[in-house]
Amino acid sequence: MENKGLLIVYTGASGVGKGTIMKMLLEKNPNLRLSVSATTRKPREGEQDGREYYFVSHERFDEMIAENGFLEHAEYVGNKYGTPKEPVFRMLDEGLDVILEIEVKGFLQVKKACPDCVTIFIAPPSFEELQLRLRGRGTESEEVIAERLKTAEEELKSQSLFDYVVINDDLDRAVDEVLSIIADKKNQA
Ligand code: 5GP
């Protein structure tokens, strides 16, 4: 279809700095839109409904699954997360590039449903560095941190399934690398 935007899957372990990179990507690329996911997780301090996530009950989440409202959905450390389908396709039809910040199980579903998407994995410089960052953030209990680290270790093993792996050892460089990947992909289309 003419003028269709690019779908980008953006994945990385908890604490890797995905959110910071994402903020800069959105500032630097005016054609890029972040898909707002639905989640059953409770809001963290400072998070707003409809901005970081649509915070929904487990019942509402299951209804959205039954309505076939998700492009993908998955469970992550005890909570459910999903990408509402309609806004993504609407933005792509408008020619906007849409980025999904999702975990590995969701990535696998999107890759199957939309093989033309570009997939990017954000990796930490090392697992030790990831531990430090996740603890330093102070947003989760030790129990949740331990579970997130276990999941992160698993997710790091999936890196090779992605089109690109970007190591977040230097923020500006990592942002530039993601911007170039998107620009190159657009030029090829
Ligand atoms: P957090 O609770 O830290 O905001 O997110 C936990 C994990 O869920 C992160 O890896 C994040 O990328 C992922 N995530 C956020 N939204 C979605 C979504 O809509 N679908 C899937 N599969 N994962 C998501």
Side-chain angles (χ1 to χ4, degrees):
M1 197 186 292
E2 237 180 284
N3 258 347
K4 262 201 121 185
L6 180 67
L7 183 62
I8 303 142
V9 178
Y10 173 89
T11 301
S14 192
V16 77
K18 288 191 305 275
T20 314
I21 297 177
M22 175 68 78
K23 226 174 133 223
M24 291 172 71
L25 293 174
L26 295 170
E27 276 166 19
K28 292 190 175 199
N29 181 338
N31 201 50
L32 198 59
R33 294 291 181 280
L34 174 64
S35 155
V36 179
S37 299
T39 183
T40 60
R41 166 166 83 58
K42 295 277 166 282
R44 292 189 188 121
E45 210 176 306
E47 286 184 332
Q48 261 177 40
D49 189 42
R51 191 179 65 186
E52 280 79 12
Y53 283 106
Y54 296 105
F55 295 100
V56 300
S57 63
H58 282 271
E59 291 71 30
R60 179 62 197 133
F61 198 96
D62 290 344
E63 264 171 35
M64 290 173 83
I65 297 175
E67 290 160 1
N68 198 19
F70 287 126
L71 177 57
E72 62 71 39
H73 62 89
E75 194 161 327
Y76 179 91
V77 189
N79 280 300
K80 292 175 186 166
Y81 296 81
T83 303
K85 198 190 279 183
E86 192 277 329
V88 171
F89 288 123
R90 182 169 31 81
M91 290 188 282
L92 289 174
D93 276 340
E94 287 169 7
L96 294 163
D97 301 323
V98 181
I99 189 157
L100 312 181
E101 190 200 312
I102 61 178
E103 50 66 80
V104 171
K105 284 173 278 176
F107 144 78
L108 292 169
Q109 296 168 44
V110 177
K111 200 173 149 74
K112 212 164 158 192
C114 311
D116 289 343
C117 65
V118 54
T119 61
I120 305 172
F121 187 88
I122 309 293
S126 66
F127 190 68
E128 289 68 33
E129 178 67 27
L130 189 70
Q131 283 181 311
L132 284 175
R133 290 191 200 176
L134 199 50
R135 292 217 159 82
R137 193 163 82 174
T139 50
E140 271 88 16
S141 66
E142 188 52 40
E143 194 190 340
V144 171
I145 289 173
E147 274 188 74
R148 282 183 175 240
L149 283 171
K150 209 169 93 202
T151 307
E153 215 170 352
E154 284 305 311
E155 290 197 325
L156 288 174
K157 293 182 193 153
S158 314
Q159 287 182 52
S160 59
L161 301 175
F162 287 74
D163 300 327
Y164 301 91
V165 175
V166 172
I167 298 174
N168 186 19
D169 50 359
D170 176 289
L171 182 60
D172 289 321
R173 198 203 47 76
V175 171
D176 285 345
E177 202 175 325
V178 178
L179 289 172
S180 316
I181 292 167
I182 297 172
D184 285 352
K185 202 72 192 177
K186 296 282 288 182
N187 287 336
Q188 284 166 22

